[in-house]
Amino acid sequence: MKRLALALLVVAAISAHAQPPAPATPTTLKDAYSPYLRVGAALNNAQFEERDLLTKDIIAANFNTISPENVLKWEVVQPGVDKYNFDPADKYVAFGEKHHMFIVGHCLVWHSQTPRWVFEDADGKPLTRDALLARMRDHIHTIVGRYKGRIQGWDVVNEAIADDGSMRQSNWYKIIGDDFIAKAFEYAHEADPAAELYYNDYSLENEAKRKGALALVKKLKAAGIPINGVGLQGHMKIDRPTPAVEAQTIEDFAALGVRVNISELDIDVLPRTSVLDSADVSATAKGDSNSNPYKDGLPEEMQQRLAQRYAEFFQVFLEHSNQMGRITLWGVDDGHTWLNNFPTRGRTNHPLLWDRQGKPKPAFFAVLKTAIDWKAAHRGPATSTTPRPTGIELVKTLTKPKGFRAPMEKDFGGYLLVYFKDQTQAAYLAASKDGYTFTDINDGQPIFLGAELAEQKGVRDPHITRGPDGAFYLAMTDLHIFGQRAGIFKTPFQRPVEECGWGNNRALVLMKSYDLIHWSHSDFRVDTAFPALGNICTAWAPETIYDPAKKKMMVYFTMRYGPKGSDVYYAYTDPAFTRLETKPELLAHTDGADGDITPFHGKYELYFVSDAKIRHGVSSTLTGGYQMDPQRIDPEKVSTEAPTTFKRLGTDKYVLMYDVYGARPSNMGFSETTDFQQFTNLGRFNEGVMKTTNFTSPKHGAVTYLTAAELKAIADHWHVPLQ
Ligand code: XIL
């Protein structure tokens, strides 16, 4: 009896553990919108120096991204040819780091708040094109270089398009010409290759101007210019644009393969003359007796109108959150907004979410409620800071479910893609019925969290396959590439880069499952398990394959001794897939990484990466004897890696998939073959027949196969419609 009670208690404890307590309703913007959108604000000096006590707590609690209202504009940060003023910007960045915020830089190249001398030589004569380009490069390199790895996104060019969609006749344009924009992006990318780079402008909702900006972004992308995103400034009026137009604008830009941010959101409640419809900072107007109607406060009816407008916009942003990154308000409280002085000086505007006393306005509560309602309708109960649950469970020992039978090729009715993202150091799953259109099964949220599965708190390079037992075998690299920034290590990597190269991680994450929900897990240190290997610097990119000769699952992966050069090695695993049982042996001299093997007509086709290009070798034995081809296999011009293949079920076609990490934003590329000799280029995701419905920029992926019943089971479990 006692035993039974104890057993019941244990069961109760376990199920209490499995069922987390109902999360509290979020009360701050960043919690309410996490993990779908970052929410931020532009800060003035008093705010980031924490002298402004009115907004100090508001900022810390509500925002996870910030923009500098003025301190990174040219006139402030470089007031003279050889004169830089970094102090305010240093403080701005330090504030963002202290609060773990995504830090934006605004803005490198703009016609406004840029001193006249920038465009003139020492005698006051206009600079030549070359001299102005050199000055621009110097400015960008100095500023972006100073905050490299700390400022995560830059407005590279601000407001280069005129209201009619033509190029704005700025000094930049007049002296340098059309390509000043491309040059600015190139310079910024040189200075910090990891930073996100944006084109930023106002009134992109207006058709003529939008057309001009879309053409510009298209041209930049086609020329391979590293642009990641577009900032819609979002200086709204109380009655325009409509939410529908806003939605269309976001979609139009996202369709070009750039992320869309709202970079300077506010809603002007004061009357405007039609001439002054824009956010052109050079536009000014004289006030008259009717132009400042809300000197003594915003009437209740207007408060409600403003709240409704904000709610409608945030609804649109949530609906497009897969294409967006962040929503940044241009200011915090109504007492400190540029709209008190623009376009008419000295008025009393009310465009933000907190009033002049620092009290949240009805608009604040409306924005909060929009996220809470949206989460309840779309993703189950509102959570505070916890992202959408991963939907998987780690188990100590994996048991084969009753009645489970290993499917044969004829039983398969769909595809499963595993991929990862740098932003989350986590891996994801996407499914497809036809092998062309893939839907992330957790709606673009992680399933395999590096924080839980890896010693470095990051996972990369996931590979999935099925064994002859029908189980799913998932192998991943244990590595966090932002470990220092995340406070996990003191140095960029565990050991010095000069000695051991990039990454220098040595554990492989091994997981096995029969149903994709219950997973066994092991984090296996290759170096300590096999001291005979000597001082390996790095072990990564594991893949699994069944070796029919040995009747065992085999893991093959890349190893590097010293800082450079690497080859592919193999070892056999235990049946439970928790460890390598045999000492890793050389599989092929690749002088490269990411080996992937496909058995085909009695041979083994090996793809791998070397010199950022996909290469190929072939052998009649699995574990050696590969004959290498000299040429690049993939059709891309930019860097590629991580080749894997999958078969188009019911046909004789195979797809070779690779990570086009040189693309901006990065993407996956595909080529099709029937003989592993001739390939047809299918292009990248969302540029041809291969499509994603609810995620972008997957990295380093692999595909395996599912039965129709398995597809249905995951669709039900993760509540995802798989068309
Ligand atoms: C504004 C600032 O808020 C003011 O403090 C400053 O006096 C002028 O500039 N579009 C932009 C921002 O890209 O940089 C502008 O910021 C607002 C319009």
Side-chain angles (χ1 to χ4, degrees), residues 91-352:
K91 290 187 172 129
Y92 160 75
V93 173
F95 174 86
E97 286 182 334
K98 175 175 156 193
H99 292 282
H100 309 289
M101 291 160 162
F102 182 95
I103 305 172
V104 178
H106 170 85
C107 49
L108 297 168
V109 174
W110 191 22
H111 62 277
S112 184
Q113 294 183 272
T114 304
R116 250 199 26 217
W117 64 259
V118 173
F119 306 101
E120 295 171 351
D121 65 16
D123 305 324
K125 299 236 169 59
L127 285 184
T128 62
R129 165 184 157 92
D130 286 349
L132 185 56
L133 274 174
R135 180 160 285 170
M136 177 167 107
R137 180 172 186 280
D138 182 59
H139 178 84
I140 292 178
H141 271 238
T142 306
I143 312 289
V144 176
R146 182 179 182 89
Y147 301 110
K148 181 175 173 179
R150 302 176 70 199
I151 288 188
Q152 289 136 290
W154 277 100
D155 287 337
V156 179
V157 174
N158 196 25
E159 306 180 350
I161 309 275
D163 289 7
D164 66 0
S166 65
M167 294 297 293
R168 178 189 286 275
Q169 298 297 309
S170 68
N171 283 328
W172 294 110
Y173 179 76
K174 286 195 280 197
I175 298 175
I176 297 174
D178 241 357
D179 64 343
F180 85 89
I181 301 171
K183 290 283 182 218
F185 276 88
E186 280 170 10
Y187 298 154
H189 185 62
E190 282 162 16
D192 186 354
E196 291 184 2
L197 305 180
Y198 320 119
Y199 175 73
N200 195 56
D201 212 330
Y202 64 85
S203 293
L204 295 178
E205 293 80 2
N206 295 353
E207 241 177 281
K209 183 158 183 176
R210 192 192 321 162
K211 241 176 117 184
L214 286 167
L216 168 70
V217 172
K218 213 169 172 175
K219 198 172 88 184
L220 293 172
K221 294 270 301 174
I225 302 299
I227 173 170
N228 307 96
V230 165
L232 310 180
Q233 289 189 359
H235 294 296
M236 313 296 191
K237 314 292 173 309
I238 193 69
D239 56 354
R240 59 193 187 278
T242 63
V245 166
E246 192 61 25
Q248 188 61 55
T249 307
I250 294 165
E251 287 160 26
D252 285 353
F253 283 100
L256 300 182
V258 287
R259 194 160 280 282
V260 183
N261 294 316
I262 305 297
S263 55
E264 308 184 10
L265 182 63
D266 48 25
I267 303 180
D268 190 344
V269 298
L270 296 181
R272 286 257 183 126
T273 62
S274 58
V275 221
L276 286 172
D277 202 25
S278 80
D280 192 331
V281 287
S282 61
T284 51
K286 270 219 150 59
D288 60 30
S289 53
N290 298 324
S291 65
N292 196 16
Y294 310 125
K295 281 197 294 295
D296 307 320
L298 199 60
E300 187 52 28
E301 183 253 338
M302 279 301 289
Q303 290 282 16
Q304 293 307 329
R305 232 175 116 188
L306 182 71
Q308 197 190 335
R309 230 50 199 119
Y310 261 111
E312 285 168 2
F313 281 127
F314 273 89
Q315 177 77 25
V316 169
F317 303 151
L318 281 169
E319 281 162 7
H320 293 80
S321 56
N322 285 328
Q323 298 161 325
M324 305 189 73
R326 65 186 156 82
I327 311 299
T328 301
L329 292 148
W330 204 245
V332 183
D333 69 287
D334 288 339
H336 303 89
T337 156
W338 73 304
L339 291 174
N340 289 327
N341 293 306
F342 174 85
T344 306
R345 290 203 70 80
R347 296 195 298 177
T348 309
N349 215 328
H350 306 265
L352 294 167

Side-chain angles (χ1 to χ4, degrees), residues 20-42:
T25 304
T27 54
T28 69
L29 297 183
K30 71 173 184 207
D31 287 354
Y33 282 83
S34 168
Y36 303 108
L37 291 164
R38 286 198 173 94
V39 186

Side-chain angles (χ1 to χ4, degrees), residues 456-587:
Q456 296 207 6
K457 312 287 175 224
V459 290
R460 302 172 74 75
D461 316 330
H463 176 264
I464 194 162
T465 192
R466 303 192 73 159
D469 57 356
F472 296 92
Y473 289 80
L474 172 67
M476 298 186 280
T477 302
D478 178 319
L479 170 63
H480 196 313
I481 62 161
F482 304 123
Q484 186 177 24
R485 198 195 286 171
I488 299 162
F489 348 113
K490 297 228 159 28
T491 49
F493 296 113
Q494 284 179 334
R495 290 163 297 162
V497 171
E498 310 78 66
E499 189 184 301
C500 258
W502 191 87
N504 70 58
N505 48 300
R506 291 154 291 173
L508 305 177
V509 176
L510 305 175
M511 297 176 72
K512 180 172 173 178
S513 174
Y514 288 96
D515 59 3
L516 299 169
I517 299 166
H518 301 88
W519 290 87
S520 67
H521 163 248
S522 153
D523 194 27
F524 184 81
R525 272 289 286 262
V526 180
D527 58 330
T528 49
F530 301 104
L533 287 173
N535 184 24
I536 51 175
C537 272
T538 315
W540 81 101
E543 297 200 1
T544 313
I545 190 170
Y546 179 66
D547 183 349
K550 283 270 173 10
K551 296 199 167 34
K552 273 181 182 288
M553 292 306 281
M554 177 185 118
V555 169
Y556 54 109
F557 57 100
T558 311
M559 281 206 294
R560 187 177 61 217
Y561 290 88
K564 284 208 180 88
S566 56
D567 291 306
V568 176
Y569 293 76
Y570 71 96
Y572 293 95
T573 80
D574 63 328
F577 202 55
T578 60
R579 61 200 168 86
L580 305 185
E581 282 186 339
T582 60
K583 178 175 146 277
E585 302 291 346
L586 184 72
L587 183 130

Side-chain angles (χ1 to χ4, degrees), residues 44-94:
N44 62 33
N45 302 54
Q47 288 165 336
F48 61 71
E49 287 171 22
E50 300 185 78
R51 290 184 279 113
D52 183 69
L53 300 182
L54 190 75
T55 55
K56 186 171 179 253
D57 295 342
I58 295 175
I59 294 166
N62 283 281
F63 303 121
N64 49 19
T65 173
I66 50 170
S67 293
E69 189 173 3
N70 287 300
V71 294
L72 275 165
K73 290 173 181 172
W74 196 308
E75 65 177 12
V76 182
V77 75
Q78 191 187 359
V81 183
D82 292 317
K83 203 165 142 219
Y84 282 93
N85 167 33
F86 291 125
D87 186 54
D90 285 353
K91 290 187 172 129
Y92 160 75
V93 173

